[in-house]
Amino acid sequence: MDLQTFDAQRKALFREKRQGITGSAHEHAARIVSGILDEMRDALDREDAPKAFSLGVAAKSFRLSVRNLDLLRAKAFSRMGRMPEAEQSLKEELRHFPDNGEAARLLEGMLQGRPPAAGGVDECDELIALVRDYTMLGEARLRSLYTLARTVCERDVPGDFVECGVAGGGSSALLAMVVARHSKRDRTLYSLDTFEGMPDSGEMDMHQGTQAEATGWGAGTCAAPESAVRGVFEKLGVSDIVKTVKGLFQDTLPVLRAQLNPVAFLHLDGDWYDSTMTVLVNLEGRYAPGALIQIDDYGYWEGCSKAVHEFERDRGIRFDLHVIDDTGVWCEVTESRQYAG
């Protein structure tokens, strides 16, 4: 079956899911993905890693939890020399199927060759070490999250925390642990995600001119079951602080906005143009004085930075963006964007 046919059937499945018709459509999609996995294995046996990679992109776009899909993706990444992405794919496999022994052994071998974390005994190092296996964020952005969240807590900025884009839950856990240790008031962290992987990218969602789907990190990737993410929070002792909110931002944020306290901190990790714009629009006017925002994908996905600057232009404002690394930025919310009640 060609990829265009896969895509048409995938879109039909999602229409049925949103209408509440899931049984037969889900079974049909599972059969399709099972067939793709057979083709991936065949491609890997023939040493055709690029073909296996392309098939993996198609399979992930169905946003189904299927055993060995991410294991096969990891093998394709590995044979293409993309070892960090192979590691992340194995972690994604194990979030869904923690009993997958082959994935666990491959990951253990990769981690043995990874340089140890930098020495240090401060709290930031401690918390990053605890969440490192549950996040795709680099150390600079994790360190920034810690610093900004602690700043909000120590300044006693009123309101709750919001994270849009959760993946494995590591960044949410880091924020929640900072709240637990440093907040002078009760706060809730709202962690929003589909928990089924990334939604479809759009035509503006590119990295260095390459469309998102062609990078291998498009629709259906960065997935973790909500139960697995909640398990991370429980393991790290922050379950009582975090409230997960499942669904597309366009569906969940309008509802959450109506009941949300002022937002003291926002971690915007939605990747795509539409996701970024949806978050910015729906949380406009909901920020506390002194609130801080970290945008994870500004320097990586072109659609994300485009959404930020279009929002600035349309509102006649300018974010005072501070660079974290080649991907992330942060800013303080200006007075005109603060909580409107």
Side-chain angles (χ1 to χ4, degrees), residues 204-215:
M204 290 178 283
D205 298 315
M206 298 181 286
H207 174 62
Q208 297 180 348
T210 300
Q211 286 291 335
E213 300 305 320
T215 69

Side-chain angles (χ1 to χ4, degrees), residues 85-306:
E85 292 161 290
E87 179 183 322
Q88 292 299 334
S89 295
L90 290 171
K91 289 180 178 178
E92 199 157 317
E93 176 75 28
L94 291 167
R95 288 178 199 137
H96 291 273
F97 303 100
D99 63 338
N100 190 320
E102 183 179 3
R105 287 190 296 273
L106 287 174
L107 180 60
E108 183 180 5
M110 289 183 181
L111 296 181
Q112 285 177 348
R114 189 173 68 180
V121 294
D122 69 1
E123 182 179 75
C124 184
D125 290 331
E126 174 199 344
L127 298 188
I128 288 176
L130 289 172
V131 305
R132 188 179 187 189
D133 288 338
Y134 310 112
T135 180
M136 296 175 69
L137 269 65
E139 183 168 328
R141 277 165 286 143
L142 290 171
R143 208 166 273 282
S144 176
L145 280 181
Y146 170 86
T147 301
L148 297 177
R150 183 164 176 174
T151 297
V152 165
C153 291
E154 291 180 345
R155 291 179 180 174
D156 200 24
V157 177
D160 291 325
F161 283 32
V162 177
E163 180 171 62
C164 294
V166 175
S171 52
S172 278
L174 175 64
L175 292 172
M177 286 190 289
V178 173
V179 169
R181 296 186 182 204
H182 297 287
S183 184
K184 301 173 183 177
R185 63 177 70 214
D186 290 338
R187 300 181 192 270
T188 298
L189 166 60
Y190 293 93
S191 294
L192 285 69
D193 201 284
T194 67
F195 299 102
E196 295 177 349
M198 298 284 290
D200 287 353
S201 59
E203 61 181 17
M204 290 178 283
D205 298 315
M206 298 181 286
H207 174 62
Q208 297 180 348
T210 300
Q211 286 291 335
E213 300 305 320
T215 69
W217 292 102
T221 63
C222 305
E226 187 175 11
S227 59
V229 172
R230 296 292 318 176
V232 173
F233 302 153
E234 187 171 341
K235 179 179 179 180
L236 297 177
V238 293
S239 296
D240 58 331
I241 294 174
V242 189
K243 181 176 181 180
T244 53
V245 182
K246 183 175 181 177
L248 295 168
F249 299 157
Q250 66 200 56
D251 297 328
T252 58
L253 273 172
V255 177
L256 182 62
R257 174 187 169 86
Q259 63 191 45
L260 194 60
N261 291 323
V263 176
F265 183 80
L266 167 67
H267 182 213
L268 204 175
D269 190 6
D271 294 44
W272 308 150
Y273 171 90
D274 283 345
S275 299
T276 302
M277 186 64 81
T278 296
V279 175
L280 292 173
V281 168
N282 277 279
L283 293 183
E284 183 181 17
R286 307 303 294 180
Y287 300 102
L292 299 175
I293 299 174
Q294 181 164 318
I295 305 174
D296 183 69
D297 305 293
Y298 176 88
Y300 192 87
W301 294 117
E302 294 162 25
C304 175
S305 58
K306 184 176 178 64

Side-chain angles (χ1 to χ4, degrees), residues 24-94:
S24 60
H26 186 280
E27 292 173 5
H28 182 52
R31 287 194 296 272
I32 294 171
V33 174
S34 179
I36 300 176
L37 262 63
D38 289 339
E39 294 188 44
M40 290 179 72
R41 293 185 184 94
D42 181 64
L44 289 169
D45 287 344
R46 291 184 284 103
E47 299 296 329
D48 191 349
K51 176 67 172 179
F53 168 82
S54 296
L55 289 164
V57 169
K60 286 295 285 185
S61 70
F62 280 84
R63 295 198 279 277
L64 296 177
S65 178
V66 178
R67 191 180 185 90
N68 290 325
L69 170 53
D70 289 297
L71 170 62
L72 294 173
R73 288 182 72 234
K75 291 180 177 181
F77 277 129
S78 178
R79 295 183 191 185
M80 295 167 70
R82 296 167 63 173
M83 300 309 294
E85 292 161 290
E87 179 183 322
Q88 292 299 334
S89 295
L90 290 171
K91 289 180 178 178
E92 199 157 317
E93 176 75 28
L94 291 167

